Amino acid sequence: MTTTTSSPAPATAQPEAGAPEWWRDAVVYQVYPRSFADADGDGMGDLPGVTSRLPYLRELGVDALWLSPFYTSPQRDGGYDVADYCDVDPRFGSLADADELIASAHAMGLKVIVDIVPNHSSSEHELFQQALAAGPGSPERDMYVFADGRGEHGELPPNNWTSIFHGEAWTRVTEADGTPGQWYLHIFDTSQPDWNWQNPRVHALFRDVLRFWLDRGADGFRVDVAHGMVKPEGLPDAAVNAEGLLDIPEGEVPIYFDNDGVLEIYREWRPILDSYEGERMMVLEAWIPEHRLPLYIGPEEAHQSFNFGFLQATWGVETMRAAIEKPLALADAVGAPTTWVLSNHDVIRHATRYGFPPGYRFGEGLGREETPDAALGLARARAATLLMLSLPGAAYLYQGEELGLPEVAEIPDALREDPAHLRAGVPGRDGCRVPLPWRADAPAYGFSPTGESWLPQPEEFGALAADAQEGVTGSTLEMYRAAIALRREHGLGRSDAPVEFLEDLPEGLLGLVRGEVVVLVNTSEQELPLPAGPDGLDLADAEVLVGSAEPVPGRLPADAAVWLRRR
Ligand code: GLC
């Protein structure tokens, strides 16, 4: 069996195990505060709830948690509509609760990453309210992207841009004298006006926000819509196709994303992070063409960026291998580690995604009429997770994936909150945000002491509850715990051990070697005999470290993965 090394020795020296650059190979757990744990019983998760569950995260073995926004917000986009960046929404607790969470996490050796939302604020932000009141041409209005409309009376939007949540990206305001007035830009919901990053006061405001959370002990930031802040000069029309929709070639992004000016913002922020003690970091949520990624990361820009290619790859040897090789090569070119992610609060959970019949999709939520194969989805999701956790770089987990939670389709429309659903009727992202089941036999499966839950939990959550899986051999929770521990023990996250792919494997088998660990994924529909390993090694004789399916001696079941240690 021959091997191919995909990851050449990186250009920069890699830190030793336990070295300070913790983010390089960290396993980071995303907490979506609304749905993680509810301490006060109002049916919405909160910060004291998160603090109470930190021992669970420590037990899971992660290095850090990333908290989705918990700031003051009308919650029109689940908190990604921030009205005050430096305070906690009363639904989630208080600043004192945030301090306690950070201190408790630190005491357990867990880092804390907070979300920063610099592309837009909430329309309830004081500065937007002032901008509305102050009128055209005022310094207040210049904090946001306002423009005069086109047409004889300014009745047409300033350009043809559409919102990521469907519909127009512009809303016209009524001026103080009651006349129809200017338009403001909102790449997302109408309740999320875009900041004007050409205004130095916006830069100053966010430098202060960074310092505010760094002073409180945050170890880093996840930057929301990190490719969005700077718009093209003159706000030109975008190209449209025959149906009048924005013409975005495959792999490209709309005209208002990925403009070079955003890189300057990271160069402005990096020295601030570096000026603090400890290793403060930023990870970007940048949905950009892959080849642009290296521009965003490096010693003067961000520490890392989500690599969404792995999440978008369909099940299969070629697709998944390409989704590993490409980002590794790109990241190596700038001496930065890559990241891996399979689920988050915006995409269909991977336990469901992998069960789709041909026609894989990750966005816009799961419709009630769709019937993915749940058992197949979970089997492949577990295998994909083992593949992900064997790779060098940082791995980001989304709450509940360690329980194998599926996407929930059965949510009454009246309870759905995703603005994309409200604007366009798509199912939307609520299905991956259903509150977590902690206890099989408790009201709301232990999510809240009162049994309240802002979204209804399906009955199947009972068997998937954390306490139903704890200590159960072969459960998804125990598989995650084992894999995370083994990943650390074998240094699998480190970038100095290259990824060597096994070549000439039977069809449908993906294999790679990381140090003394051999990782095999059977993407085919039949059980396959374990192949010969590197250097003719007999893998049937190797020690099984962890597997995603019930082990079969000498063989690998369909849709399963295994980590073997060479003897
Ligand atoms: C990001 C967030 C998403 C939010 C959007 C607008 O993509 O992850 O949840 O809706 O930004 O803030």
Side-chain angles (χ1 to χ4, degrees):
M1 187 66 42
T2 56
T3 60
T4 307
T5 301
S6 138
S7 154
T12 54
Q14 295 295 308
E16 295 302 308
E21 293 186 312
W22 61 272
W23 41 269
R24 283 186 172 267
D25 58 358
V27 178
V28 184
Y29 184 98
Q30 180 189 356
V31 170
Y32 191 70
R34 293 166 69 98
S35 306
F36 187 67
D38 171 22
D40 67 8
D42 65 355
M44 182 155 294
D46 44 41
L47 297 185
V50 181
T51 305
S52 74
R53 295 292 183 182
L54 288 175
Y56 169 85
L57 297 183
R58 189 185 45 188
E59 194 82 350
L60 184 59
V62 301
D63 302 290
L65 55 148
W66 144 36
L67 293 156
S68 279
F70 49 81
Y71 317 113
T72 314
S73 158
Q75 301 289 310
R76 294 280 297 273
D77 184 21
Y80 283 94
D81 48 326
V82 182
D84 184 346
Y85 291 84
C86 298
D87 206 352
V88 174
D89 193 281
R91 296 173 184 87
F92 300 126
S94 62
L95 274 176
D97 292 326
D99 291 342
E100 196 184 328
L101 195 173
I102 295 172
S104 307
H106 286 168
M108 291 182 199
L110 293 166
K111 305 277 187 189
V112 180
I113 296 171
V114 299
D115 223 303
I116 186 164
V117 188
N119 181 68
H120 47 266
S121 72
S122 159
S123 51
E124 289 187 16
H125 195 288
E126 197 188 351
L127 293 177
F128 188 72
Q129 289 300 318
Q130 289 174 8
L132 286 180
S138 62
E140 286 85 349
R141 227 162 237 204
D142 195 43
M143 292 295 281
Y144 290 88
V145 183
F146 277 87
D148 293 331
R150 295 197 284 203
E152 205 180 330
H153 306 289
E155 70 280 11
L156 299 173
N159 65 27
N160 65 357
W161 296 357
T162 49
S163 153
I164 297 295
F165 291 158
H166 305 276
E168 281 178 357
W170 294 93
T171 290
R172 194 171 195 188
V173 304
T174 302
E175 303 297 353
D177 62 5
T179 57
Q182 286 194 302
W183 298 69
Y184 68 88
L185 177 68
H186 52 87
I187 296 301
F188 293 90
D189 188 49
T190 45
S191 63
Q192 295 169 296
D194 283 49
W195 290 104
N196 173 17
W197 277 89
Q198 298 201 335
N199 184 335
R201 285 167 55 219
V202 172
H203 289 251
L205 185 147
F206 277 93
R207 287 195 300 269
D208 287 348
V209 173
L210 292 183
R211 290 199 185 93
F212 180 87
W213 289 105
L214 292 168
D215 287 342
R216 296 194 101 87
D219 298 288
F221 299 94
R222 175 267 189 190
V223 184
D224 187 65
V225 196
H227 52 317
M229 292 87 103
V230 176
K231 312 299 185 297
E233 197 62 48
L235 308 172
D237 270 338
V240 287
N241 60 25
E243 289 98 66
L245 300 171
L246 294 199
D247 189 19
I248 304 162
E250 177 80 23
E252 297 295 315
V253 293
I255 185 168
Y256 45 67
F257 283 155
D258 192 28
N259 290 288
D260 282 341
V262 294
L263 304 174
E264 292 304 324
I265 298 173
Y266 302 119
R267 293 184 191 125
E268 181 185 330
W269 288 1
R270 182 64 181 258
I272 299 177
L273 270 71
D274 289 348
S275 73
Y276 278 77
E277 257 181 48
E279 299 278 339
R280 317 291 179 107
M281 55 79 83
M282 53 183 158
V283 54
L284 308 183
E285 186 222 14
W287 292 87
I288 49 177
E290 229 156 19
H291 68 272
R292 297 270 303 168
L293 262 179
L295 295 171
Y296 283 72
I297 49 181
E300 292 177 3
E301 292 84 15
H303 299 72
Q304 54 192 209
S305 178
F306 293 133
N307 147 37
F308 290 118
F310 191 61
L311 179 159
Q312 294 173 64
T314 52
W315 183 252
V317 172
E318 264 130 57
T319 46
M320 296 201 295
R321 178 168 171 170
I324 294 169
E325 286 181 310
K326 268 201 232 153
L328 281 180
L330 289 169
D332 282 351
V334 285
T338 187
T339 62
W340 309 99
V341 53
L342 284 166
S343 278
N344 64 33
H345 66 294
D346 290 328
V347 299
I348 298 174
R349 281 186 177 277
H350 65 288
T352 296
R353 228 165 52 215
Y354 287 122
F356 273 134
Y360 180 92
R361 202 162 53 73
F362 60 89
E364 309 265 53
L366 182 69
R368 273 189 282 271
E369 69 296 344
E370 295 182 276
T371 50
D373 180 334
L376 178 68
L378 181 58
R380 289 181 172 178
R382 289 167 51 118
T385 295
L386 285 191
L387 177 61
M388 171 171 86
L389 289 174
S390 76
L391 297 172
Y396 284 79
L397 310 179
Y398 175 52
Q399 66 178 36
E401 68 168 80
E402 78 282 12
L403 304 175
L405 294 190
E407 185 82 5
V408 179
E410 288 308 319
I411 302 173
D413 281 351
L415 297 179
R416 290 183 187 264
E417 294 195 10
D418 184 350
H421 170 75
L422 301 175
R423 283 168 72 89
V426 296
R429 300 163 294 171
D430 295 294
C432 63
R433 300 172 177 181
V434 175
L436 291 198
W438 293 96
R439 289 177 45 201
D441 63 355
Y445 302 116
F447 167 65
S448 77
T450 53
E452 294 289 317
S453 170
W454 71 277
L455 283 176
Q457 300 153 299
E459 231 168 78
E460 63 189 312
F461 269 30
L464 296 171
D467 74 341
Q469 298 197 39
E470 220 139 38
V472 177
T473 313
S475 70
T476 304
L477 178 58
E478 292 302 339
M479 186 199 83
Y480 269 76
R481 285 178 173 173
I484 293 169
L486 287 160
R487 172 185 158 93
R488 176 170 296 125
E489 189 186 324
H490 293 276
L492 299 183
R494 293 179 52 187
S495 304
D496 47 359
V499 177
E500 296 166 61
F501 283 94
L502 292 170
E503 302 295 351
D504 313 317
L505 290 178
E507 207 181 318
L509 204 56
L510 174 67
L512 55 87
V513 185
R514 311 268 3 263
E516 57 176 5
V517 179
V518 178
V519 180
L520 293 172
V521 186
N522 181 357
T523 68
S524 81
E525 283 168 17
Q526 37 302 316
E527 187 177 285
L528 291 172
L530 293 179
D535 313 323
L537 220 82
D538 183 5
L539 287 181
D541 185 39
E543 177 194 352
V544 176
L545 294 173
V546 61
S548 69
E550 192 76 23
V552 183
R555 305 181 74 80
L556 185 57
D559 303 305
V562 70
W563 292 2
L564 302 167
R565 194 213 317 243
R566 325 194 207 178
R567 286 198 229 251

